[in-house]
Amino acid sequence: MDYGDALTKELFDKIFSGEKKEVYNFLRDEINELYQKAKSEELTAPIVELFRKLLLLNEKDGISAESFGFNREELLELADKHKNIDEHGVTVGGRVLKAIPIVEEANKRVEEYLAKKDIEAPSGIELWDKIVENKKRIMETLGMTDKDWNSYTGQLKFAIEDVETLSKIIDLPEKAITDVLRVTKHYRMRLTPYYASLIMPGNINDPVLLQSVPTGEMVDNVGVEIPPVAADHSPARLIDQFYPRVVTIKSTNMCAMYCTHCLRIAHIGKKDRIYNKKAYLEALEYIKNNKNIRDVLVTGGDAFVLPNSLIRWILEELDKIDHVKMKRLGTRIPVTTPQRVDQELLDILEESNDKKPLRVVTQINTAQEITPISKEVFKQISKRVSAVLNQAVLLRGINDSKVKMWKLCETIQEAYVRPYYVFNCSYRNPQFAHMRVPVQVGQDIIEGMYGNISGDAIPRYIATAGGKIPLHRTNVVEFAEDGNIILRKPWSGEIVKYPDADPETYKNDKQFAFRKYYD
Ligand code: SF4
């Protein structure tokens, strides 16, 4: 008897094992109906359903397929039919004994995440009704009109920068208010009304609140501030350079809102400064004179706080430099003040991208920051540039669990943004040491993504210590002497053997492909 493959034979042996038993009529009818369907329809699913049911009855109650009057020949006809219909020749044994159980096992791995993701880490899209309520309340309190709310200038004009206004908008305990007052003597606080509307009242450690409203630790954390690495890596005015082919132009020290975890907290937001054109020219001159430089990141602060004319000019100047092949703009504005992104800016992005690839690099740390508004802005930007990439920071209470980080990565991917990096929060600034997360916690979170969410939703996990250092664990357990590599599946820990390419064959250039015909 030809079963087609070993798995189909195994399946038959299983369903025909056990006893031939008397079965209830309803069960006989059910099986008969499945059989008739499997025979009459030119589909694989009814055949799979019949075999799965027979297998289940056998495994659960020890009932042989003979109990329903089947013999191997007639079921083999169905197995052949299955294989013939399937475009890839998949056998019913392969499907029932291997493929379906693999999917069922995989589903168990994400069960907990799927059950919790919208409760523990709701996105701004799921929270939209509450955000709209917050918006109404904030507009009323601040006396904003719709025009104010919908414009960038309105968002900045009514930005919340002092404790008095903050306490009208967000209900915080007296002690917290006192601390905000203490901290804001040293560090700037600014939330746009839009960003404030993302904060959920009643959620004590709301992830948007944590990112925008300082707590006492920011001044109480003891320790000497380590000078920003940039101080050692700024070879020219406005320039940071860690690598031979990539440089950063720190084009402004301003942002629309100021983050409590800002890596550049020592410089950003202290005092708004409009940079002199000479400074930009000096930075551009450095780039012109260094022919190794291929990729230029224009950041800040936030590059999108610059006027459109200046953004256009910088991009045009970069496009004029032959050896600069690509550009990036660093901005968090699409999640903090999406009202800023106007048609003119979108046109500028597209024009520049047409000349040489332009990417927009953003920072989104919680799914809560993705609302229908920011999603639409990212959609518009993504149509005009070659990629929109996210650089999140792993932050305590904000995204330091599988559920929160996975949800963040999936949500931004659905909002046209590609998860790119997750930084372990820097050790250099004592101001936010309390928000740091141990490296291993991050490894578990990020590596757990493999095999469980789309590959291009998985960011690289990075430490910044004078450049970006990957923090992923190795999954290569051993290079065995027999030519196999012992690998670990990051999502389950399962060990698998992976035969390596033969090094001798690899070295033998004389026998490689067309080369051998000429010797
Ligand atoms: S947007 Fe970036 S540069 Fe601006 S405060 Fe936040 S982390 Fe710092």
Side-chain angles (χ1 to χ4, degrees), residues 423-451:
F423 294 113
N424 186 267
C425 185
S426 176
Y427 64 96
R428 296 191 157 260
N429 302 72
Q431 295 91 337
F432 46 81
H434 59 292
M435 294 178 96
R436 297 195 69 213
V437 177
V439 166
Q440 280 194 358
V441 172
Q443 287 178 320
D444 288 342
I445 292 171
I446 306 295
E447 298 200 1
M449 289 182 179
Y450 286 89

Side-chain angles (χ1 to χ4, degrees), residues 188 211 252-265 268-269 299-303 305 330-333 336 363 365 393:
R188 188 151 174 199
Q211 290 182 71
T252 172
N253 75 337
M254 295 185 278
C255 298
M257 65 79 68
Y258 292 103
C259 309
T260 51
H261 59 274
C262 179
L263 190 67
R264 298 194 174 132
I265 200 161
I268 297 298
T299 183
D302 192 313
V305 302
T331 178
R332 195 156 144 64
I333 270 194
T336 63
Q363 189 200 132
N365 296 316
V393 187

Side-chain angles (χ1 to χ4, degrees), residues 260-407:
T260 51
H261 59 274
C262 179
L263 190 67
R264 298 194 174 132
I265 200 161
H267 306 294
I268 297 298
K270 286 269 172 188
K271 188 167 175 252
D272 290 352
R273 284 185 62 190
I274 309 290
Y275 295 171
N276 189 311
K277 198 157 183 178
K278 273 190 189 154
Y280 296 116
L281 285 169
E282 264 195 60
L284 289 164
E285 197 57 27
Y286 177 80
I287 296 168
K288 268 183 216 160
N289 292 334
N290 287 278
K291 296 208 172 352
N292 284 351
I293 296 167
R294 171 182 174 267
D295 188 2
V296 179
L297 166 64
V298 181
T299 183
D302 192 313
F304 279 10
V305 302
L306 298 177
N308 285 344
S309 55
L310 187 52
I311 295 177
R312 185 198 295 276
W313 178 76
I314 294 174
L315 290 173
E316 282 176 355
E317 289 302 308
L318 289 173
D319 282 328
K320 283 184 204 161
I321 304 171
D322 272 354
H323 55 270
V324 171
K325 304 295 183 196
M326 18 206 359
K327 302 95 53 187
R328 277 179 266 178
L329 289 173
T331 178
R332 195 156 144 64
I333 270 194
V335 289
T336 63
T337 328
Q339 294 78 1
R340 155 70 180 97
V341 182
D342 54 23
Q343 281 307 315
E344 188 185 33
L345 176 59
L346 292 171
D347 291 343
I348 292 167
L349 301 183
E350 187 174 351
E351 276 163 33
S352 180
N353 187 53
D354 278 348
K355 289 181 194 146
K356 292 176 188 176
L358 172 67
R359 295 96 87 211
V360 165
V361 185
T362 189
Q363 189 200 132
I364 313 163
N365 296 316
T366 165
Q368 201 163 312
E369 289 170 307
I370 294 293
T371 66
I373 309 279
S374 52
K375 181 175 176 175
E376 180 59 27
V377 164
F378 281 124
K379 182 174 155 186
Q380 295 307 326
I381 295 174
S382 72
K383 286 181 187 173
R384 310 293 190 106
V385 297
S386 59
V388 185
L389 306 166
N390 188 45
Q391 303 192 153
V393 187
L394 181 63
L395 293 164
R396 184 176 171 190
I398 293 171
N399 52 28
D400 58 336
S401 74
K402 277 189 182 181
V403 172
K404 289 174 183 169
M405 182 60 82
W406 293 19
K407 178 71 184 285

